[in-house]
Amino acid sequence: MKKHIISTLLIFIAALSAQAQFVLSAETPMSKFRGAEMAIKNLYVDQVDEEKMVEDAIRGMLEKLDPHSSYSTAKEAKALTEPLNGNFEGIGVQFNMIDDTLLVIQPVTNGPSEKVGIVGGDRIVTVNDTAIAGVKMGRDEIMKRLRGPKGTKVKLGIVRRGVNKPLYFTVTRDKIPVHSLQAAYMIRPGVGYVRIDNFSATTYDEFMEAVKKFEQQQMHTLLIDLQDNGGGYLQTAVTMANEFLQRSDLIVYTEGRSSPKREYKADGRGRLKNVKVYVLVNEFSASASEILSGALQDQDRGTIIGRRSFGKGLVQRPIEFDDGSLIRLTIAHYFTPSGRCIQKPYKKGDLKEYEQDFEYRLKHGELTNPDSIHFADSLKYETLRLHRTVYGGGGIMPDVFVPLDTTKYTRFHRKLAAKNLIVNTNLKYIDKERKALKRQYKAFDDFRNDYQIPYHVVEEILSEAKKQGLEPKDDDELQRTLAYLCPQLKALVARDLWDMSEYYQIINEHNDIVMRAVRMIEQSDGAKPTAPVVPDETVPAGRLEQ
């Protein structure tokens, strides 16, 4: 017994001694953090991944700040910045996966794959003699094998419909452009339409290239579609807004605790100052989208149509580490010309509630009825020329509200999409019929006017859905589903035969926000005014139309 007591005391004393040797400095928060990291690394009972532990600590710190400050590993950072940089390095194909096989939708025009003879409909089955088809290889792993530094070569094994033996091509990787302008076409005579996916380093140049083509077609009105546009570079939005505004017009200003106020103003050299402009937004239009929308609204320069935008009024600065990882740290708020900060409310550290804002809006009727939207008087501002009432504190409220049609996209349709039945059936159809369709429809206009999706394609979707236990609840739901499913399938076929611009030329005719803008233009007297369509001055912006 005495030996046991003595042994226990010795262990306790040794522990105290060890603790004494590791009394850590708490003189500053940083010394305390470093001390904790050192103690865990050296004393924790199990082996720890020090790099992951530090990354988790960084994420933890940022999560307690605001919803948009974040940390990205080197791999995550590359994936995030590639779309905004406007290019990546690879073989240059648009593809999708069908039955565990990579199906080329179409090669990038003048890209490395097109140059060696790869065509739409080809199946890539091997990469450098390693099988990637039928082996359950993940999309990320396939992408890793196809992408690589400019100038490097990769050998691709191709299976082509109508050719008995595999074909082999050696592709020299190159820089592949990533376009942020998804569509640009004349939606009606004299009316140009552009759909912008994000505000990247190349967006302004892409936009102005489209404008040049529109001007050759006597454009007098421009629709800028920012639905679902999550934002991007602030400077890109500023440069685009500059094209519409007069000299010294304020576009946006930023200000933060350690960031002095900085104003961005128009230089007066814009070439679109006399073009009538409409901007289309919805609940997923954010950040740079709201900078452009807010500038044109506050300067009474354009008409905003759609639903209240996301509400991101925070500016992030990328802070890079030498291993390629980075922190995106919120350093300032941005303010529209009238002084509005349109950042929606958030609780620090409560990202879940912030991310559920869409469900909150839907539940409270805001997406279907503008009268469900309430702003405090303290958030009231005035536009700079016509002194219309606008509001801050939660996105850009449009001048013309377009309710979300919750009956259009049925429960059955959502389930078909969730199971990938629509996309997969379309891929199989286009794979089989691509050559015949290209022979029949040499011009897109002929396709748009004459083509109808064969009903056997729809029947295949419904049959496969039934096998998986998915059925419409009644004939009414089926008919409402088909009313939107058929044009959706036609748009997908157009995309696969041509490109995204042709996809939007089909699907936009069924987009409520786009069609509201078109009707407003068609109902006008045909003049080419430089001022926007403006609501009665006694009515707050967002209450003009329903």
Side-chain angles (χ1 to χ4, degrees), residues 87-271:
N87 64 72
F88 64 92
E89 295 177 349
I91 66 169
V93 295
Q94 296 178 31
F95 73 93
N96 215 320
M97 302 300 296
I98 179 170
D99 297 331
D100 295 326
T101 302
L102 188 154
L103 176 68
V104 176
I105 303 301
Q106 55 185 294
V108 173
T109 303
N110 295 322
S113 290
E114 184 185 69
K115 288 177 180 178
V116 300
I118 293 173
V119 298
D122 284 349
R123 288 169 165 79
I124 300 178
V125 294
T126 63
V127 178
N128 290 331
D129 299 323
T130 298
I132 64 168
V135 293
K136 303 293 183 182
M137 185 177 289
R139 181 183 287 255
D140 288 346
E141 181 63 26
I142 292 174
M143 293 285 286
K144 181 180 177 182
R145 293 174 184 273
L146 294 176
R147 289 189 177 184
K150 176 182 177 180
T152 59
K153 297 181 183 297
V154 59
K155 180 183 176 184
L156 304 179
I158 299 290
V159 171
R160 180 172 294 172
R161 182 177 289 274
V163 178
N164 294 330
K165 295 182 179 180
L167 304 173
Y168 294 94
F169 299 89
T170 298
V171 180
T172 302
R173 298 182 179 99
D174 203 345
K175 284 192 177 295
I176 309 301
V178 178
H179 297 294
S180 59
L181 206 72
Q182 292 188 315
Y185 67 98
M186 298 298 287
I187 194 167
R188 295 292 187 272
V191 183
Y193 167 93
V194 292
R195 168 94 179 194
I196 301 174
D197 184 53
N198 59 57
F199 288 82
S200 74
T202 61
T203 301
Y204 174 74
D205 291 338
E206 294 175 44
F207 173 69
M208 294 309 297
E209 187 65 31
V211 166
K212 289 179 185 177
K213 293 179 181 178
F214 292 160
E215 289 174 337
Q216 294 170 3
Q217 300 176 70
Q218 289 75 51
M219 176 188 70
H220 57 75
T221 302
L222 179 62
L223 302 186
I224 303 177
D225 192 347
L226 303 181
Q227 294 180 80
D228 304 323
N229 182 316
Y233 294 136
L234 177 148
Q235 187 59 52
T236 301
V238 167
T239 308
M240 284 186 61
N242 180 70
E243 291 296 323
F244 299 93
L245 300 174
Q246 302 296 327
R247 181 177 177 82
S248 298
D249 281 353
L250 182 61
I251 297 171
V252 68
Y253 68 91
T254 63
E255 192 169 18
R257 179 178 62 88
S258 298
S259 301
K261 182 178 181 179
R262 181 179 180 184
E263 294 185 337
Y264 299 81
K265 294 183 177 182
D267 61 17
R269 294 182 291 180
R271 63 192 296 171

Side-chain angles (χ1 to χ4, degrees), residues 54-94:
V54 171
E55 288 182 342
D56 288 344
I58 295 172
R59 292 184 198 275
M61 287 189 288
L62 294 172
E63 286 170 359
K64 298 299 181 183
L65 300 178
D66 65 90
H68 298 290
S69 291
S70 62
Y71 170 81
S72 302
T73 64
K75 183 178 179 180
E76 293 167 342
K78 185 178 180 181
L80 285 170
T81 56
E82 271 183 352
L84 295 181
N85 290 336
N87 64 72
F88 64 92
E89 295 177 349
I91 66 169
V93 295
Q94 296 178 31

Side-chain angles (χ1 to χ4, degrees), residues 416-469:
L416 294 177
K419 292 287 187 179
N420 288 325
L421 296 179
I422 300 171
V423 170
N424 288 343
T425 303
N426 170 73
L427 286 173
K428 292 176 182 177
Y429 167 70
I430 198 70
D431 181 44
K432 183 178 179 181
E433 302 294 338
R434 182 188 301 272
K435 289 184 179 179
L437 289 169
K438 279 186 171 291
R439 284 195 301 268
Q440 185 175 358
Y441 300 104
K442 298 187 183 302
F444 171 70
D445 284 346
D446 294 336
F447 174 89
R448 178 176 53 192
N449 296 332
D450 301 334
Y451 176 81
Q452 295 295 326
I453 197 78
Y455 195 71
H456 72 79
V457 178
V458 177
E459 287 181 322
E460 185 176 341
I461 294 174
L462 299 178
S463 176
E464 184 59 33
K466 190 172 183 178
K467 290 178 184 177
Q468 298 189 30

